[in-house]
Structure formats: structure tokens, C-alpha cells
């Protein structure tokens, strides 16, 4: 039983290991970069407002690297400056308050006339005066000023490089009283309500005038153990700077032994000119030791941005601190796995069943409504009105009647009218009309077209043709004797039925409607009928 477990465990471990190896290289670089970015970095650019204004430009020059440390110095020529009565503190305080992760580092002299090359004997007297508390009020005012500006957590680099010979606040002339004086300053400033100051004990690298450990005032009044380290002796190489007495390594060891954080408030080029190897090694050392902060002194001959004397060192500094952002490209390896294009087998062309597109819309064919407008054909009715204008034509022969009146007796009347006047006068109704007025009975004769052929011949022989009409009025008795009426039907017996049919003078007209075979089977044969009153009393009777 234990073996399967071991195998399973081995398999899991192997899988995890493979994953880590696949991404290990990619993850290693970001970790190193992130560790570098966790260290607060800054530069001394100027003590006043110009120093504040230049910070964004330095950040841009470094590819957007965040400058989290603002570093400046109080003037040590008079106590007023040490008390913080300088306007540029307002500018730095404003910059610090904009971000909670920023650090404001302020170098504070312990004596006035700090750079006046005061002799050791006089320095010893000033140290003793300070240890006795004669200068406490000045540092209390400074603490109150910083708290009032909203920067109560300022890092105070008090009496920096005390192991050297440059400043009046040096330790060598009287180390014991110097430590007592430091304690008085720290306790005085910590007594101000609202303060959160951190005090940074920062000697020069190396022995200098005195071993800096002999000036250490005690763990209770020190929060950070810093070191200013420029490219100068003692030591010819960077390795010498690390291993020499009171060098970089001893500094780190001392701080660790006392449980303190470390810092590098000042570092940069100096005696060895443009030395890119020093810059590279110093940045590597900083990255390895993880100080709370570091700030390069960026003016000539120490600097790399504002100072143009050190191009090789500038290149190294910029490349080392510019954030490297190509790491995000790593996600590309994930791409190969999605070879899942196989699902492209969208064989489910199942959409074909959708084909049953119910052509049900066909029922819309019931457009039977269309026939209803066909009812309009009744407009054809005006056709019956055509005969009405023909009525006046018979009026013309009436005036001619008086002339042939004597010729009435001639029996040739029926023979001669047949050949002549059909073409010019639509005379078909002309002859019957004269017969109609005398007896109402001729009305049935009007439709017969036979009468018309008799009339046309009248023009050929004017004397005989006109005779029939006048004869009728005078010898009314003779009209019945001759049989003109029977002669009319004889010539065309077949035609009378068409005009004599009731529809000619009928009061009802019917028009058949054709709906097509399909609809006619459903509806049946239909017709539209219209009745017109042709009664004589209506005024429409044409004859």
C-alpha cells in the first residue's frame, strides 16, 4: 500500500516540478526586479523647490520608475535654519503628503557654523554645551515645525558623517559628550506631541578621523544605521570598500547586531571619475542588502543625471534602475494548448431540419376580394344611350315630305329605297322614324334594321323616295292598304331577333362575372344586373 502512495506522490511532484521549470526563468527575473522596486529610491537634486520640481523628470528619465524618497538639508550656518525657519520645508512637506508610501529625509546639523572649519578645541566646548542642554530649545522648535507641516514621520539624519573632520558637529573632539548631546536632541524632539520621527545614525564609510562605532549613542535613540559611501579611499576597489575596517560589510553586520534597519543617504562617484564598475557594484550591493532607502548625490562630480561628466556610469545607472517590462510577454506559451479546433466538427448541420419551412403562407391566396372591384363594369351602360342621338336624324326627312307629297300614289316606293342611302346618314332609323310619329304602333318596327335599307334608296330617286313619308299623313287610310310593314321583316328575318330582343329597350342589364375555374366552382356563376327605368314618363324614352 505505501508504494502506490509514493508513486502518486512522485507523479504529483513531477508534474509540479515540470510546471515550475517551465515558468521558473520567467518568474525569477520579476522577483529580482520586484525586490529592487521595493527599496525606496531617491536622489539629492537640490535643497529647495527646484529639487522637488525635478523629481518627476528624473522618474521619466528612468522609464517611469517611482522616486519615493525626497532628500534635502537644513542650513547649518545659524540656529534659525536648524530650527526649520526656511520656506522650502513647505514644498517638501507638500510633496511628502501626496503619497503615503513616500519618505522625507532631512539632514539636520547639530551645531551652527557647521561648515566653518571650527577647530577641535572649540568644537569640544560646543559639544559639552549641547550635552548640558543649552541647545534643546532649537530642536524642540524644529520638531514642532515638522509636526505642524504634516510630516511628523520625517527621517532625521542627525549630525551626519560625525566620524570625519568636515563639520562642526563632528564626534572626534569629545566622543562621550557627543553621544550625550545626541541623546538630548532625540529625547527633546520625541517629547513633541504627534511626532513619529526616525533618527538615522550615518557615518562615513571607513575609519576617517575616528572609528564610527565609538560615536554610536545607543539603540534607544537610534532607529536606522546609515552610511555615506562615495567612490574614494580608503580602498582602491569596490571589494576593498566592502571588506575594510568600518566598511560596507561591517556597517551591515553592526546594524544587524543591533536590530536596526540600514540606509545609504549619500553615495556616488568621486575621486575615481566616471567609474561604471563602481556604480554597478554599488547598485548590486544595495539590492542585496535591502536598505530602507538610498539616495544618490546627483550633482558633479558625484551624479549621473544632472551631471554630464560621467556618461558610462550614467548608462549603467539608468539601465539598472529602469523598470524592465517585457515580462508580461510570457503568457504566450499558453496558446499552444488550445488545439481544440477539433470541435470545429460542426457536423451538426442539423439546421437542415429547419428546412420544413411551412409554406403555409399559401393560404393567403384567398384574394377573392379582388372580384368585388370588377363590379364596376356597369359603366358600360352608357352604350344604350347611343341610339338616342339617332332619333333627331329622322327629323331631317320630315321637311322634305311636302315636296314629294303628290307622288305618294306611286307603288314603286318599296323597291327604290333599298339600294341608296345607307352610307351617308346612318339612315337606318331615319325611315322608321317618320312612320313612328303617326301611329304609335311602329315602335316594334324601329329595332328592325330592314327598314333602314328601304330608306337609303330614297336619295337615288328623290321624287319617289320622299313620297312615302308625306303620303302617310294625308292618306292615313291608305297606309294600311299598302303593306310596307310586312315587307320590312321579309328581307332579313334572321336579324330581327338581335335588335328586337328585349335587352334593346329592356329596363334590366346583366353582365356575367368570371372568377376563374377554382373560385367559380366554390361561388358558382355570377352576374351583375342593373335596372334602368326607360318608361316614357321618365323622359328617357328615345323613340
Amino acid at each position: 500500500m505505501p508504494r502506490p502512495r509514493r508513486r502518486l506522490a512522485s507523479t504529483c511532484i513531477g508534474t509540479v516540478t515540470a510546471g515550475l521549470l517551465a515558468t521558473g526563468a520567467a518568474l525569477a527575473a520579476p522577483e529580482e526586479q520586484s525586490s529592487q522596486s521595493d527599496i525606496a529610491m531617491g536622489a539629492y537634486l537640490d535643497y529647495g523647490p527646484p529639487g522637488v520640481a525635478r523629481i518627476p523628470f528624473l522618474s521619466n528619465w528612468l522609464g517611469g520608475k517611482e522616486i519615493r524618497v525626497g532628500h534635502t538639508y537644513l542650513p547649518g550656518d545659524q540656529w534659525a535654519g536648524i530650527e526649520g525657519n526656511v520656506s522650502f520645508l513647505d514644498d517638501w512637506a507638500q510633496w511628502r503628503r501626496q503619497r503615503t508610501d513616500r519618505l522625507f529625509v532631512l539632514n539636520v546639523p547639530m551645531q551652527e557654523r557647521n561648515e566653518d572649519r571650527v577647530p577641535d578645541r572649540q568644537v569640544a566646548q560646543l559639544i559639552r554645551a549641547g550635552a548640558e542642554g543649552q541647545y534643546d530649545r532649537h530642536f524642540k522648535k524644529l520638531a514642532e515645525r515638522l509636526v505642524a507641516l504634516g510630516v511628523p514621520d520625517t527621517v532625521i539624519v542627525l549630525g551626519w558623517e560625525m566620524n570625519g573632520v568636515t563639520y562642526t558637529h563632528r564626534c572626534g573632539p569629545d566622543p562621550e559628550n557627543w553621544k550625550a548631546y545626541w541623546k538630548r536632541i532625540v529625547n527633546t524632539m520625541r517629547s513633541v506631541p504627534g511626532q513619529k520621527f526616525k533618527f538615522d545614525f550615518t557615518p562615513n564609510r571607513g575609519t576617517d578621523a575616528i572609528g564610527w562605532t565609538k560615536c554610536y549613542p545607543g539603540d534607544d535613540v537610534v532607529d536606522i544605521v546609515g552610511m555615506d559611501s562615495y567612490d574614494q579611499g580608503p580602498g582602491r576597489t569596490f571589494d576593498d570598500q566592502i571588506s575594510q575596517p568600518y566598511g560596507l560589510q561591517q556597517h551591515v553586520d553592526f546594524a544587524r547586531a543591533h536590530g536596526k534597519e540600514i540606509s545609504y543617504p549619500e553615495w556616488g562617484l568621486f575621486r575615481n571619475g566616471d567609474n561604471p564598475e563602481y556604480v554597478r557594484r554599488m547598485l548590486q550591493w544595495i539590492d542585496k542588502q535591502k536598505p530602507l532607502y538610498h539616495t544618490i548625490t546627483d550633482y558633479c562630480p558625484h551624479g549621473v543625471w544632472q551631471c554630464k561628466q560621467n556618461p558610462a556610469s550614467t548608462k549603467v545607472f539608468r539601465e539598472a534602475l529602469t523598470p524592465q517590462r517585457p515580462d508580461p510577454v510570457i503568457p504566450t506559451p499558453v496558446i499552444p494548448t488550445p488545439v481544440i479546433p477539433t470541435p470545429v466538427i460542426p457536423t451538426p448541420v442539423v439546421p437542415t431540419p429547419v428546412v420544413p419551412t411551412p409554406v403555409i403562407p399559401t393560404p393567403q391566396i384567398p384574394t377573392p376580394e379582388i372580384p368585388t372591384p370588377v363590379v364596376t363594369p356597369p359603366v358600360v351602360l352608357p352604350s344604350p344611350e347611343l341610339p338616342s342621338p339617332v332619333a333627331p336624324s329622322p327629323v331631317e326627312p320630315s321637311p322634305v315630305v311636302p315636296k314629294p307629297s303628290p307622288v305618294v300614289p306611286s307603288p314603286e316606293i318599296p323597291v327604290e329605297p333599298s339600294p341608296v342611302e345607307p352610307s351617308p346618314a346612318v339612315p337606318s332609323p331615319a325611315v322608321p322614324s317618320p312612320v313612328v310619329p303617326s301611329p304609335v304602333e311602329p315602335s316594334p318596327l324601329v329595332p328592325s334594321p330592314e327598314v333602314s335599307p328601304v330608306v337609303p334608296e330614297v336619295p337615288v330617286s328623290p321624287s319617289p323616295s320622299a313620297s312615302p313619308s308625306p303620303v302617310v299623313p294625308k292618306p292615313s287610310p291608305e297606309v294600311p292598304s299598302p303593306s310596307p310593314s310586312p315587307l320590312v321583316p321579309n328581307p332579313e328575318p334572321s336579324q330581327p331577333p338581335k335588335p328586337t330582343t328585349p335587352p334593346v329597350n329592356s329596363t334590366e342589364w346583366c353582365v356575367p362575372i368570371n372568377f376563374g375555374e377554382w373560385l367559380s366552382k366554390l361561388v358558382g356563376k355570377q352576374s351583375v344586373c342593373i335596372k334602368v327605368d326607360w318608361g316614357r314618363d321618365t323622359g328617357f324614352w328615345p323613340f
Side-chain angles (χ1 to χ4, degrees):
M1 295 302 293
R3 291 180 181 176
R5 292 180 181 175
R6 290 177 182 176
R7 291 176 182 174
L8 179 59
S10 299
T11 303
C12 294
I13 292 172
T15 304
V16 173
T17 302
L20 292 175
L21 289 174
T23 58
L27 295 175
E31 286 180 359
E32 292 180 0
Q33 292 171 4
S34 64
S35 65
Q36 177 69 39
S37 64
D38 289 339
I39 301 171
M41 175 263 178
Y44 174 72
L45 304 174
D46 187 85
Y47 71 90
V52 178
R54 292 168 188 167
I55 291 177
F57 296 97
L58 175 60
S59 176
N60 291 337
W61 182 71
L62 291 174
K65 181 175 179 60
E66 184 180 358
I67 308 301
R68 293 173 52 202
V69 182
H71 188 189
T72 191
Y73 298 74
L74 287 178
D77 53 344
Q78 296 179 355
W79 283 114
I82 298 172
E83 292 173 355
N85 291 327
V86 288
S87 60
F88 63 78
L89 277 182
D90 298 78
D91 299 282
W92 286 106
Q94 182 179 3
W95 174 85
R96 164 63 184 86
R97 293 194 303 268
Q98 291 174 355
R99 294 276 303 263
T100 58
D101 61 345
R102 288 177 175 172
L103 291 177
F104 178 41
V105 177
L106 181 64
N107 281 43
V108 179
M110 295 172 67
Q111 298 284 353
E112 64 179 349
R113 297 183 299 144
N114 196 39
E115 299 182 24
D116 288 355
R117 299 291 180 179
V118 178
D120 288 348
R121 182 178 58 81
Q122 191 174 353
V123 169
Q125 293 175 353
L126 295 173
I127 292 173
R128 286 194 294 271
E132 294 171 357
Q134 293 182 24
Y135 309 132
D136 290 356
R137 66 185 183 280
H138 302 302
F139 295 98
K140 184 176 182 181
K141 289 181 180 179
L142 173 59
E144 292 173 344
R145 168 88 163 130
L146 294 173
V147 171
L149 288 173
V151 285
D153 56 353
T154 299
V155 176
I156 306 294
V157 183
L158 182 64
W160 69 98
E161 299 180 6
M162 76 293 296
N163 60 327
V165 295
T166 304
Y167 302 111
T168 304
H169 61 218
R170 59 187 180 271
C171 167
D174 190 346
E176 295 303 319
N177 281 318
W178 190 92
K179 291 187 283 187
Y181 182 27
W182 172 288
K183 290 184 177 181
R184 289 196 70 92
I185 294 173
V186 172
N187 291 330
T188 298
M189 294 186 71
R190 284 179 174 173
S191 67
V192 175
Q195 68 79 33
K196 299 177 183 177
F197 304 121
K198 288 187 176 182
F199 292 90
D200 192 336
F201 175 80
T202 303
N204 268 327
R205 175 182 52 80
T207 304
D208 213 334
I210 184 175
W212 51 263
T213 57
K214 297 176 182 178
C215 301
Y216 185 70
D219 293 341
D220 59 333
V221 289
V222 173
D223 299 296
I224 305 165
V225 176
M227 178 165 280
D228 290 349
S229 181
Y230 289 92
D231 185 24
Q232 63 177 350
R236 291 179 301 175
T237 66
F238 193 80
D239 290 329
D240 291 341
Q241 295 177 19
I242 294 174
S243 61
Q244 66 188 213
Y246 303 103
L248 294 173
Q249 187 62 57
Q250 186 172 349
H251 164 243
V252 172
D253 295 340
F254 181 88
R256 186 179 295 115
H258 290 264
K260 304 298 179 182
E261 294 182 286
I262 63 173
S263 69
Y264 298 97
E266 295 182 25
W267 69 275
L269 301 167
F270 197 8
R271 305 294 183 187
N272 298 318
D274 186 5
N275 186 357
E277 180 63 18
Y278 163 78
V279 173
R280 181 181 297 104
R281 293 291 301 277
M282 187 64 188
L283 288 173
Q284 291 175 352
W285 179 263
I286 290 171
D287 186 57
K288 178 181 178 181
Q289 304 305 330
K290 304 294 186 293
L292 176 64
Y293 70 92
H294 71 98
T295 54
I296 187 171
T297 302
D298 194 53
Y299 58 82
C300 288
H302 313 298
V304 293
W305 179 50
Q306 296 183 110
C307 181
K308 308 305 180 184
Q309 300 180 34
N310 308 307
S313 299
T314 296
K315 181 180 179 181
V316 171
F317 181 87
R318 189 176 188 184
E319 290 178 352
L321 294 179
T322 298
Q324 302 298 321
R325 306 178 191 270
D327 304 327
V329 180
I330 296 170
T332 53
V334 180
I335 297 172
T337 55
V339 184
I340 307 174
T342 52
V344 178
I345 306 174
T347 52
V349 185
V350 181
T352 52
V354 180
V355 174
T357 54
V359 187
I360 301 173
T362 53
Q364 294 180 351
I365 296 173
T367 55
E369 296 178 357
I370 298 171
T372 55
V374 180
V375 177
T376 53
V379 179
V380 180
L381 293 176
S383 61
E385 294 177 358
L386 296 175
S388 62
V390 180
S393 63
V395 178
E396 294 178 357
S398 61
V400 182
V401 175
K403 293 179 182 180
S405 61
V407 186
V408 174
S410 66
E412 294 177 358
I413 297 170
V415 179
E416 295 178 356
S418 59
V420 185
E421 218 172 54
S423 58
V426 186
S428 59
V431 174
S433 63
V435 178
V436 174
S438 60
V440 180
E441 296 174 358
S443 60
L445 297 177
V446 176
S448 64
E450 297 174 355
V451 179
S452 61
V454 178
V455 176
E457 293 189 357
V458 175
V460 178
S461 60
S463 60
S465 63
S467 62
S469 60
V471 174
V472 176
K474 294 180 180 180
S476 58
E478 293 179 0
V479 175
S481 62
S483 57
S485 59
L487 295 176
V488 176
N490 291 332
E492 293 179 355
S494 59
Q495 294 179 353
K498 295 180 181 178
T500 57
T501 54
V504 177
N505 292 318
S506 175
T507 60
E508 180 176 327
W509 289 71
C510 294
V511 178
I513 298 174
N514 186 358
F515 291 101
E517 292 182 1
W518 181 78
L519 192 58
S520 295
K521 290 178 181 181
L522 297 175
V523 181
K525 295 182 179 180
Q526 298 293 331
S527 61
V528 177
C529 295
I530 299 175
K531 289 184 179 182
V532 180
D533 188 1
W534 296 100
R536 297 179 180 177
D537 296 335
T538 60
F540 293 101
W541 183 254
F543 307 105

